[in-house]
């Protein structure tokens, strides 16, 4: 079972995923769908994206992912985003005219764009969250140390390239 410390690591990613899903519901409303359908669509995407975003934070805290890397995270979202969209389409969609496999393949391509935005936002929010939680959460303290190492390596690389 995941402990409280791990759940604290999940919060930034879960928040980002949930907000992204809710924004998609807003776009559904702008596209002319009824309010109830837009709300259902938002919820049907916000929940799985929030869960996967939280899972990313937990995996990051347990060393599966490293700060500042994109490749493994891109692969993670190439699986997680299509599953999230499939849940949304199953609950609130109008159907997949071309079938499930073409739908999932297209969503996997779109997932890389989502992954770029997710990682960009997560890398900006997570260190601030870890700084706040490091005193009471040993997992947050350890992950914050990894972020500091990454920042120091980036700074050294910049100094080396200026010479």
């Amino acid at each position: 079972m995941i402990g409280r410390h791990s759940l604290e690591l999940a919060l930034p990613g879960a928040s980002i995923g949930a907000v992204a899903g809710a924004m998609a519901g807003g776009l559904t409303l702008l596209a002319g769908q009824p309010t109830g359908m837009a709300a259902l669509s938002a919820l049907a995407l916000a929940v799985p994206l929030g869960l996967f975003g939280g899972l990313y934070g937990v995996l990051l805290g347990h060393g599966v992912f490293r700060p500042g890397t994109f490749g493994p995270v891109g692969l993670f979202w190439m699986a997680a985003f299509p599953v999230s969209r499939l849940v949304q389409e199953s609950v609130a969609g109008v159907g997949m005219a071309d079938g499930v496999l073409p739908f999932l393949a297209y969503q996997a391509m779109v997932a890389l764009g989502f992954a770029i935005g997710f990682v960009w936002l997560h890398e900006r929010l997570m260190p601030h969250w870890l700084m706040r939680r490091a005193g009471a959460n040993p997992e947050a303290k350890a992950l914050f140390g990894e972020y500091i190492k990454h920042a120091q390596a980036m700074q050294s690389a910049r100094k080396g390239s200026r010479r």
Side-chain angles (χ1 to χ4, degrees):
M1 184 169 156
I2 295 178
R4 179 180 62 86
H5 296 306
S6 290
L7 288 176
E8 286 182 355
L9 297 180
L11 191 60
S15 299
I16 294 166
V19 168
M23 288 174 60
L27 292 174
T28 304
L29 187 62
L30 288 175
Q33 292 294 323
T35 306
M37 184 58 98
L40 182 61
S41 179
L43 184 63
L45 188 57
V47 169
L49 286 180
L51 290 173
F52 282 120
L55 177 60
Y56 169 76
V58 171
L59 294 174
L60 181 67
H62 288 91
V64 175
F65 299 118
R66 290 185 331 211
T69 59
F70 178 74
V73 181
L75 292 174
F76 172 80
W77 282 109
M78 280 182 71
F81 187 80
V83 169
S84 299
R85 283 284 292 122
L86 187 61
V87 168
Q88 181 193 30
E89 279 296 314
S90 298
V91 172
V94 293
M96 294 168 267
D98 296 332
V100 174
L101 291 179
F103 173 80
L104 291 175
Y106 176 74
Q107 296 306 318
M109 290 186 291
V110 171
L112 289 177
F114 178 82
I116 290 168
F118 179 88
V119 168
W120 182 86
L121 194 53
H122 196 272
E123 291 287 315
R124 272 126 197 93
L125 296 177
M126 187 63 144
H128 296 286
W129 175 249
L130 293 174
M131 202 176 341
R132 293 180 64 154
R133 300 305 312 147
N137 183 337
E139 291 181 21
K141 185 176 183 175
L143 184 54
F144 188 55
E146 291 298 315
Y147 271 95
I148 291 172
K149 284 186 214 172
H150 175 68
Q152 289 170 338
M154 295 297 292
Q155 188 175 32
S156 295
R158 281 191 194 130
K159 285 182 182 177
S161 68
R162 290 181 183 165
R163 292 180 181 170

